[in-house]
Amino acid sequence: LSGAALGGPVACVSKVELRVACKALLDRDTLNKSDPCVILMVQNQGQWTELDRTEVIKSNLHPVFAKVFTLDYYFEEVQKLRFEVYDIHGTHSIGTRDDDFLGGVECTLGQIVAQKKMVKPLFLKYAKYAGKSTITVNAEEISGNNGYVELFFCAKKLDDKDLFSKSDPFLEIYRINDDGTEQLVHRTEVIKNNLNPVWEPFKVSLISLCSCDEDRKLKCLVWDSDSRGKHDFIGEFYATFREMQKIGGGSKVTWDCINPKYKLKKKNYKNSGVVILSDLKLHRVYSFLDYIMGGCQIHFTVAIDFTASNGDPRNSCSLHYINPYQPNEYLKALIAVGEICQDYDSDKRFSALGFGARIPPNYEVSHDFAINFNPEDDECEEIQGVVEAYQNCLPKIQLYGPTNVSPIISRIAKLSAGEETIKDASRYHILLILTDGVVTDMADTREAIVRASYQPLSIIIVGVGNADFTDMQILDGDDGVLRSPKGEPVLRDIVQFVPFRDFKTVSIAFLPFVILYLHPSTFPTSLYSAMPQSYSNQAKRTEVWGSKVSNCSTFYNSDAGGH
């Protein structure tokens, strides 16, 4: 969830990968050719800032960069980008007098996405053409359920291309597109003076590697690196992702590295070395909808703030006042979220807890009690049962304090940890905390959240009333990684804080879509075992969500990734 989404319809956001290449760059060097690098700038509030930059390619006027820029793409926003190309003369930062500006171009991310492949001329200052220089930007949307693969390559007995030393090999992988064009997927680092290189493992999305087509051809080239950019060709081979997946059980996948010229000229030519895939790790990325369709059950728990700061429930100014004609804010938030969650809970039974009140029979303060006063079974039948338990509970308790939420978080985390031993990992917990103020036990709460981040649990905190909730943003990981008092970071960002007052001007039906956006990264890896290998029925996904969006004024069904 992005903060910008709080005041309007759900943002249509997806991940986009951009790859860049240039042609006919200006030659600014006297003895060698330019050493180009591309900087990607983004415009925020009228100011241009650097987002990322490519690697530097030595002595090359037609560079194809291996660097991949990953951006969030918002369909409804104009996202201005600027690509700047420099000739680099050292390891210092770009922008000094020693670096030569080779040209730039401005565009929007929407233009690139719409064209998929955008070719633009480069301009110098004062809108002057940079000769015949052009930049090509290719865009690919990363679908939410494709995942990525980690590849481990090495080679043996490569041809020696150097006179006084051994070759300095590197590997390039190109995807062959449907139209026959080639797209650079990855370029490894250079291994100096070594005919048996072991390259660093690298990760690449499946859509980038093979467009999710396991039989798509991949062209792989091995080069002997030259500092002046005149690399010597060692050999090539063709592969598919299906071939790569044959690895396993201690066996490796190997390819002969072939130099076609040598093959034609030499009768006894066998190869110019062997390239080996020594390991492959496939990481599937699943959306919230994938988990639901895979059989995962959502267990919903609500925790309600009964501290004295809410006001006397008998007073109409109290946040807990029961108005016979309309629900109070606690009930509005509870119903809005609960009615969505109950569709994914097979038994329709929800745990309902309270904190910060004196409870019968001894009227001692409790920060973790069942609002139906049954400690052996704190569950209620459907959301209506929770509402009734809440209304029956109010006259029997004394609102008190302080606002301590760590006991309830620890309780649900412990419950989740116990269920994680089940092999099918088929249950996920959502804890909804409704509170009117900043928590008192902030240090203990941070510690409890860090511990809970290892469990199949997400926490939604809804701030009720007009209190200053600034400190509550600490618990929400949007502005930085939440850490325990000892400095330990959360494993996953599991907390979403929402001030309920931000939704008074929009439909209550909109609230669940904002706070129940569970990004795939919020799911612990232990749940992966519950997932089937693939889902291809797009119509079924749309049908599932269809009933949920009937009351939402604006909805973008961008893909099957849970947006």
Side-chain angles (χ1 to χ4, degrees):
L1 171 75
S2 65
L6 294 178
V10 177
C12 174
V13 58
S14 56
K15 293 286 185 184
V16 173
E17 288 185 348
L18 302 182
R19 288 178 169 80
V20 295
C22 298
K23 282 190 176 182
L25 292 178
L26 297 176
D27 192 354
R28 298 294 198 187
D29 293 348
T30 305
L31 300 177
N32 294 314
K33 297 176 182 176
S34 296
D35 305 326
C37 171
V38 177
I39 303 181
L40 174 58
M41 313 283 286
V42 296
Q43 191 179 73
N44 290 316
Q45 299 178 344
Q47 299 293 319
W48 289 103
T49 57
E50 179 182 339
L51 178 68
D52 208 345
R53 65 179 66 182
T54 68
E55 73 278 15
V56 177
I57 296 184
K58 292 288 187 180
S59 192
N60 196 323
L61 302 183
H62 311 284
V64 178
F65 297 95
K67 171 69 178 180
V68 178
F69 298 117
T70 303
L71 294 86
D72 287 328
Y73 170 53
Y74 297 89
F75 173 81
E76 72 283 5
E77 292 183 14
V78 178
Q79 296 171 266
K80 292 185 178 181
L81 307 178
R82 177 173 173 81
F83 295 88
E84 296 183 350
V85 187
Y86 288 87
D87 177 20
I88 307 303
H89 296 289
T91 57
H92 47 262
S93 62
I94 290 175
T96 64
R97 278 183 258 174
D98 292 333
D99 293 320
D100 297 316
F101 180 57
L102 301 180
V105 65
E106 291 183 19
C107 62
T108 66
L109 183 56
Q111 290 172 335
I112 301 173
V113 170
Q115 298 178 40
K116 293 187 178 179
K117 180 180 181 180
M118 184 191 76
V119 181
K120 290 263 190 180
L122 291 174
F123 293 90
L124 300 173
K125 292 181 179 179
Y126 311 113
K128 181 182 177 182
Y129 280 99
K132 297 181 179 180
S133 301
T134 62
I135 186 170
T136 301
V137 184
N138 288 279
E140 290 180 312
E141 183 180 1
I142 306 303
S143 182
N145 66 332
N146 289 323
Y148 61 93
V149 64
E150 187 174 9
L151 300 172
F152 299 71
F153 278 102
C154 62
K156 288 186 176 181
K157 298 182 180 179
L158 293 177
D159 283 354
D160 193 352
K161 295 292 184 177
D162 296 340
L163 268 176
F164 303 107
S165 64
K166 297 177 182 176
S167 296
D168 307 321
F170 67 92
L171 171 68
E172 289 183 330
I173 299 177
Y174 289 83
R175 183 188 71 224
I176 300 180
N177 299 318
D178 293 335
D179 59 1
T181 59
E182 298 174 0
Q183 175 63 58
L184 177 64
V185 174
H186 184 77
R187 180 185 294 124
T188 70
E189 77 283 8
V190 175
I191 304 294
K192 291 284 187 178
N193 196 32
N194 196 326
L195 301 182
N196 301 291
V198 178
W199 291 290
E200 287 292 323
F202 60 92
K203 297 177 182 178
V204 60
S205 64
L206 291 179
I207 196 167
S208 298
L209 179 65
C210 60
S211 301
C212 297
D213 177 1
E214 296 186 353
D215 296 313
R216 182 176 296 277
K217 276 193 175 183
L218 304 174
K219 184 178 181 180
C220 306
L221 306 174
V222 182
W223 301 87
D224 172 26
S225 177
D226 180 83
S227 59
R228 296 167 298 175
K230 298 180 180 179
H231 309 307
D232 294 318
F233 178 65
I234 295 178
E236 66 183 18
F237 63 94
Y238 290 85
T240 66
F241 184 53
R242 187 179 299 278
E243 289 177 24
M244 293 180 180
Q245 293 181 89
K246 292 179 181 178
I247 194 170
S251 62
K252 301 176 181 179
V253 182
T254 63
W255 296 271
D256 286 331
C257 188
I258 303 297
N259 187 319
K261 290 184 179 180
Y262 291 175
K263 190 174 182 179
L264 287 174
K265 293 180 179 179
K266 299 180 180 180
K267 290 183 178 180
N268 297 323
Y269 176 78
K270 183 178 180 182
N271 59 46
S272 294
V274 176
V275 177
I276 304 165
L277 179 64
S278 57
D279 198 4
L280 179 151
K281 296 180 180 178
L282 186 59
H283 304 267
R284 296 287 184 183
V285 179
Y286 298 104
S287 71
F288 175 66
L289 193 57
D290 287 327
Y291 282 92
I292 297 303
M293 295 177 69
C296 178
Q297 289 293 311
I298 300 295
H299 184 74
F300 181 67
T301 300
V302 60
I304 302 173
D305 181 347
F306 288 111
T307 55
S309 57
N310 285 282
D312 189 338
R314 294 168 295 183
N315 189 319
S316 61
C317 295
S318 171
L319 293 171
H320 280 302
Y321 178 68
I322 302 298
N323 188 323
Y325 301 105
Q326 65 177 12
N328 60 34
E329 290 190 9
Y330 276 95
L331 286 176
K332 286 179 181 178
L334 168 62
I335 294 170
V337 180
E339 286 188 342
I340 296 296
C341 289
Q342 71 178 359
D343 286 347
Y344 307 108
D345 192 318
S346 59
D347 63 8
K348 302 293 188 292
R349 291 175 59 82
F350 308 124
S351 296
L353 308 174
F355 59 93
R358 287 175 166 173
I359 63 173
N362 299 324
Y363 285 92
E364 295 178 348
V365 178
S366 174
H367 301 293
D368 177 11
F369 65 92
I371 64 173
N372 64 2
F373 300 110
N374 183 356
E376 302 300 324
D377 184 8
D378 58 25
E379 294 185 336
C380 303
E381 291 288 341
E382 301 189 348
I383 289 301
Q384 186 57 37
V386 179
V387 171
E388 292 173 0
Y390 166 75
Q391 293 172 330
N392 294 334
C393 169
L394 278 172
K396 301 176 183 178
I397 62 174
Q398 294 178 3
L399 274 60
Y400 203 70
T403 309
N404 293 348
V405 299
S406 61
I408 283 180
I409 294 176
S410 298
R411 170 178 174 163
I412 303 304
K414 185 177 180 180
L415 180 65
S416 303
E419 291 176 347
E420 197 177 28
T421 57
I422 301 174
K423 294 301 182 183
D424 63 0
S426 59
R427 176 172 286 203
Y428 193 86
H429 289 259
I430 294 178
L431 172 60
L432 172 64
I433 299 175
L434 305 176
T435 179
D436 78 320
V438 178
V439 298
T440 308
D441 61 338
M442 183 62 78
D444 290 341
T445 298
R446 287 163 52 199
E447 181 70 32
I449 291 172
V450 170
R451 300 277 75 79
S453 68
Y454 289 82
Q455 309 306 332
L457 167 66
S458 286
I459 302 170
I460 303 164
I461 304 176
V462 176
V464 178
N466 296 315
D468 182 2
F469 293 111
T470 303
D471 290 343
M472 295 294 279
Q473 299 294 346
I474 298 173
L475 303 179
D476 192 321
D478 291 348
D479 297 326
V481 178
L482 176 70
R483 295 180 180 272
S484 71
K486 296 179 181 179
E488 181 184 354
V490 290
L491 178 67
R492 305 176 293 118
D493 179 9
I494 66 170
V495 177
Q496 178 63 60
F497 172 73
V498 180
F500 187 75
R501 59 173 173 257
D502 289 352
F503 297 90
K504 287 186 176 180
T505 57
V506 297
S507 170
I508 293 300
F510 170 61
L511 177 61
F513 299 101
V514 176
I515 60 182
L516 287 182
Y517 177 80
L518 299 183
H519 190 272
S521 64
T522 66
F523 285 82
T525 54
S526 61
L527 282 181
Y528 289 174
S529 60
M531 295 305 305
Q533 283 301 304
S534 64
Y535 283 102
S536 59
N537 192 341
Q538 174 69 38
K540 186 176 181 182
R541 295 166 184 240
T542 307
E543 179 185 350
V544 171
W545 273 110
S547 62
K548 297 298 155 201
V549 300
S550 58
N551 295 324
C552 189
S553 58
T554 305
F555 181 81
Y556 299 96
N557 186 16
S558 60
D559 59 28
H563 301 307

